[in-house]
Amino acid sequence: MLRNSEAEPEVTEPIVLRHRVLPEFDRLTVYRQHGGYQAFERAVRSRSPEAVIQLVKDSGLRGRGGAGFPTGVKWSFLTPGVFPRYVVANADESEPGTFKDREIIERNPFQFLEGVAICAHAAQANVAYVYCRGEFWDLTSELDRKIAELEGAGLLGDGLFGTDYSLRIYTHLGAGAYICGEETALLESLEGKLGQPRLRPPFPAAEGLYGKPTVVNNVETLANLPLILERGVDWYRSVGTKQSPGTKVFSLSGHVKRPANVELPLGTTFRELIFEHGGGILGDKKIKAILPAGASAPILPAADDVLDSGMDYESVAALGSALGSASIIVLDETVNIAWAEAKITDFFEHESCGKCTPCREGTYWMKHILGRLMTGAARAEDIELLHSVGTGIRGKCLCALGDFAALAVTSGIERFGTDFKVHAVNGQ
Amino acid sequence: MAALAEKYRAEIQSILAKYPPEHKRSAVMPLLFVAQREYGHLDRQAIAEVAALLQLEPTEVGSLIGFYTLFHDRPGPTYRLQVCTDLPCALRGAEEFARELRQELNVSQGEPDTDGQIAVEEVKCLAACDRAPVFQLQEPGGIHYYENQTLETALAVVEELRGRAGSD
């Protein structure tokens, strides 16, 4: 039987959410008392950029923004000999179900900024931008103050630690567009243009910001770096699974008693996250389904084999979904999945940037068909039509948003067909 | 007419300093926020001013306003209470919250109240799913989050805003 404890369970030592156990960790003096900025200083003084890249490769750290691509490998694609280079931190967190980067920037800002600095050293960049979604207005003002504090303490600026290395970090506010979380759309937006994705290749590591070699990394990815450098590869790889090392910040939301960010080793089971850390289902109802990567991956029926599966990139893929940015939305037995898909489709239809026809038109038609289902005006064949529109989007767009928009819907029809039929029958 | 350039000289300089001089187009969104704070919305004159600051065509600046949801091209309410009603928030009662708030204020979705000061809008994900219901208050000078809301706490915010508007 499922455990349903009311007490907060034990959590393994956090790597990213260290502010949860260390009071006032958002103060520079406190952060430095706990070893903050030693990793960056040591890297600048005595570790070559190549050595840092190799170390991050060996650590097995994978991008925490959703793609799970090995971070050190991404860095090693920077075109040799081309300068200036740029580092961009992706803080455009906008996926329904995701709220981890915000907590990191708000509560553990100096570890995040040290991660940005370490990445800049490895990339041999002298300028880094933090692209924050426009809604993070207050958070960004606070981050500006933290950056100024680092400059005052000689931890950012010119001639760092007596070397000739200089680094400036600037924040940049977006203005409300989910698509800007896609790294090439983000770069377009940072250049002052419409946030629409670029054709790849070239990838940002070859031609990124202003056409120069650029690393774009998620906030959580960057926040992992200081401790990886300080404590080493073996320590890091002792947490998580072989192919997905380290911890992950799981954003747990929906029908759980305690929605929250929970940092756990990759490979922890859905059951442990939802029933121990999340306290179980609201009102002790039955769990029906899980969206493991927010709105952007196939929906999973909450059967025992799913609940007992580990949450790492490989295991969730084997279940027929994706871990993505690990935003776990829990749906209880009262939820009609067609309704949930209609909500998700509303989001993607609104956020489609309009560049690629299959996504722009496909999300529009999916929204209309789901609208018919929700108002009881649908015919039975509308379900098949909806599925075919979704299938028609997949694999045909410049960026992943098209696939994201379709995956939850097509999987919803395949795995929860009855929930759709209920509405169609009513409409006949 | 170069009102922004005069009034916000220091702020504009510090924004421009973030980007390489040959890529000052990057400053367009930060400058549009400055213009929106000053004028409340972004009309042709505001667009022309920002374009002039960056030596861009007004069309290049204007196209951004329809694309990014935090920019407004026409006069609107001073205060926008923007409630997230995406799936995770909806699972925790955000749609009912938005509906009750509109009912209580006697406004319809997106329409301002009788004073034209306050509107309740439903918006997309605000990255605060663990603290639903949540809304952001967008006003010309900034954006602030209000989390774990109830009808009572939201109405208290509205009262405070009305007091502020009345004392202007």
Side-chain angles (χ1 to χ4, degrees):
Chain A
M1 188 49 209
L2 312 174
R3 279 178 61 188
N4 199 352
S5 80
E6 293 293 328
E8 296 272 354
E10 289 271 319
V11 182
T12 37
E13 188 202 350
I15 296 173
V16 173
L17 304 182
R18 289 161 79 206
H19 54 273
R20 297 279 188 91
V21 291
L22 299 167
E24 299 190 75
F25 207 55
D26 61 345
R27 289 178 49 207
L28 183 56
T29 46
V30 176
Y31 181 63
R32 293 187 81 179
Q33 277 161 17
H34 290 278
Y37 280 87
Q38 284 174 13
F40 177 51
E41 177 169 353
R42 197 172 148 214
V44 171
R45 280 181 191 278
S46 58
R47 277 181 160 155
S48 68
E50 295 74 23
V52 175
I53 293 174
Q54 190 58 47
L55 194 147
V56 173
K57 261 190 199 173
D58 293 342
S59 76
L61 173 66
R62 297 169 65 167
R64 301 296 196 236
F69 192 81
T71 305
V73 178
K74 190 176 190 180
W75 295 0
S76 69
F77 292 153
L78 286 162
T79 308
V82 181
F83 297 93
R85 292 171 174 179
Y86 294 99
V87 162
V88 180
N90 185 346
D92 190 55
E93 181 171 59
S94 321
E95 168 90 32
T98 314
F99 44 89
K100 65 190 180 63
D101 297 337
R102 191 173 152 230
E103 175 172 348
I104 295 166
I105 297 173
E106 188 169 82
R107 308 280 308 282
N108 194 3
F110 289 112
Q111 186 171 326
F112 158 61
L113 290 169
E114 186 180 4
V116 175
I118 289 167
C119 177
H121 165 68
Q124 296 174 263
N126 300 111
V127 173
Y129 292 100
V130 180
Y131 186 104
C132 295
R133 62 177 296 180
E135 289 81 354
F136 290 172
W137 184 290
D138 290 333
L139 196 60
T140 307
S141 308
E142 190 52 41
L143 200 58
D144 282 335
R145 282 190 282 277
K146 305 282 195 233
I147 290 168
E149 212 179 324
L150 288 171
E151 286 172 351
L155 298 168
L156 282 178
D158 294 323
L160 291 171
F161 314 115
T163 70
D164 60 0
Y165 183 62
S166 72
L167 176 61
R168 293 267 189 287
I169 300 179
Y170 300 112
T171 59
H172 182 96
L173 263 189
Y178 164 77
I179 186 66
C180 292
E182 196 282 330
E183 62 179 14
T184 63
L186 184 155
L187 295 173
E188 287 287 299
S189 179
L190 184 48
E191 290 182 3
K193 302 169 191 161
L194 297 186
Q196 292 185 318
R198 296 175 180 171
L199 181 65
R200 290 161 298 174
F203 288 90
E207 289 180 35
L209 185 62
Y210 310 130
K212 298 296 180 187
T214 302
V215 171
V216 185
N217 276 150
N218 169 259
V219 170
E220 184 187 352
T221 312
L222 294 163
N224 269 281
L225 296 171
L227 285 196
I228 291 177
L229 263 69
E230 212 175 291
R231 299 188 189 176
V233 165
D234 291 340
W235 165 78
Y236 192 72
R237 296 198 76 109
S238 71
V239 183
T241 71
K242 193 168 185 304
Q243 286 175 291
S244 301
T247 59
K248 181 80 192 74
V249 179
F250 295 94
S251 294
L252 180 62
S253 69
H255 286 144
V256 287
K257 287 181 184 165
R258 286 194 299 264
N261 287 315
V262 188
E263 183 175 358
L264 296 166
L266 278 156
T268 304
T269 64
F270 282 106
R271 194 186 297 280
E272 181 181 331
L273 174 71
I274 295 167
F275 290 94
E276 291 187 32
H277 302 282
I281 308 303
L282 264 182
D284 293 317
K285 293 197 174 75
K286 282 197 186 120
I287 181 169
K288 177 169 180 174
I290 298 168
L291 285 154
S296 63
I299 190 166
L300 292 169
D304 277 343
D305 64 323
V306 169
L307 288 171
D308 290 323
S309 164
M311 297 180 291
D312 53 78
Y313 298 101
E314 292 71 31
S315 304
V316 183
L319 292 172
S321 189
L323 184 64
S325 58
S327 26
I328 316 291
I329 307 175
V330 174
L331 310 177
D332 75 15
E333 58 186 331
T334 65
V335 177
N336 175 280
I337 301 302
W339 169 81
E341 305 297 4
K343 294 293 298 178
I344 289 173
T345 303
D346 266 1
F347 173 79
F348 284 114
E349 191 270 341
H350 183 266
E351 298 296 345
S352 174
C353 79
K355 185 162 182 166
C356 308
T357 310
C359 172
R360 183 186 65 242
E361 299 295 316
T363 52
Y364 173 87
W365 285 109
M366 288 202 304
K367 178 179 165 155
H368 276 262
I369 299 167
L370 280 157
R372 285 210 291 272
L373 278 164
M374 287 305 106
T375 54
R379 300 179 302 262
E381 60 263 35
D382 275 341
I383 299 170
E384 202 183 318
L385 181 64
L386 178 63
H387 192 274
S388 81
V389 175
T391 312
I393 298 173
R394 287 169 60 180
K396 297 185 182 66
C397 302
L398 275 178
C399 83
L401 192 143
D403 283 4
F404 291 168
L407 283 167
V409 173
T410 51
S411 64
I413 295 170
E414 289 155 16
R415 296 168 185 175
F416 296 92
T418 321
D419 285 26
F420 289 79
K421 282 180 193 139
V422 176
H423 290 289
V425 169
N426 292 346
Q428 274 185 336
Chain B
M1 183 74 186
L4 291 175
E6 289 297 320
K7 191 166 174 184
Y8 297 102
R9 186 177 300 274
E11 188 175 352
I12 291 170
Q13 282 315 314
S14 75
I15 289 170
L16 288 171
K18 291 181 171 185
Y19 313 99
E22 67 275 30
H23 296 293
K24 51 181 178 173
R25 182 174 180 159
S26 281
V28 63
M29 280 160 50
L31 292 180
L32 284 171
F33 278 123
V34 173
Q36 186 158 278
R37 189 176 70 209
E38 176 67 14
Y39 301 124
H41 69 285
L42 298 164
D43 61 9
R44 278 169 178 269
Q45 187 223 319
I47 291 167
E49 276 193 68
V50 170
L53 282 167
L54 300 172
Q55 284 108 46
L56 291 172
E57 291 300 321
T59 338
E60 292 173 299
V61 177
S63 65
L64 300 175
I65 293 159
F67 188 87
Y68 294 101
T69 56
L70 294 176
F71 295 136
H72 306 292
D73 63 355
R74 60 196 70 178
T78 315
Y79 304 108
R80 297 165 193 267
L81 275 65
Q82 301 175 318
V83 184
C84 173
T85 53
D86 262 327
L87 180 63
C89 284
L91 293 172
R92 304 187 77 87
E95 291 178 315
E96 292 77 15
F97 168 76
R99 194 161 49 233
E100 285 171 19
L101 185 57
R102 285 195 302 265
Q103 241 164 33
E104 200 67 33
L105 298 175
N106 200 20
V107 292
S108 48
Q109 147 85 330
E111 292 300 314
D113 62 358
T114 45
D115 301 334
Q117 289 289 330
I118 292 166
V120 179
E121 302 171 349
E122 293 187 19
V123 296
K124 301 300 169 197
C125 185
L126 297 178
C129 327
D130 55 336
R131 299 171 195 168
V134 54
F135 67 85
Q136 66 178 3
L137 169 65
Q138 192 189 5
E139 52 177 324
I143 297 166
H144 318 289
Y145 274 46
Y146 292 81
E147 301 172 308
N148 292 319
Q149 289 295 298
T150 61
L151 189 57
E152 289 68 36
T153 58
L155 288 172
V157 173
V158 169
E159 275 315 299
E160 196 263 324
L161 293 175
R162 283 184 170 152
R164 233 196 279 174
S167 66
D168 281 348

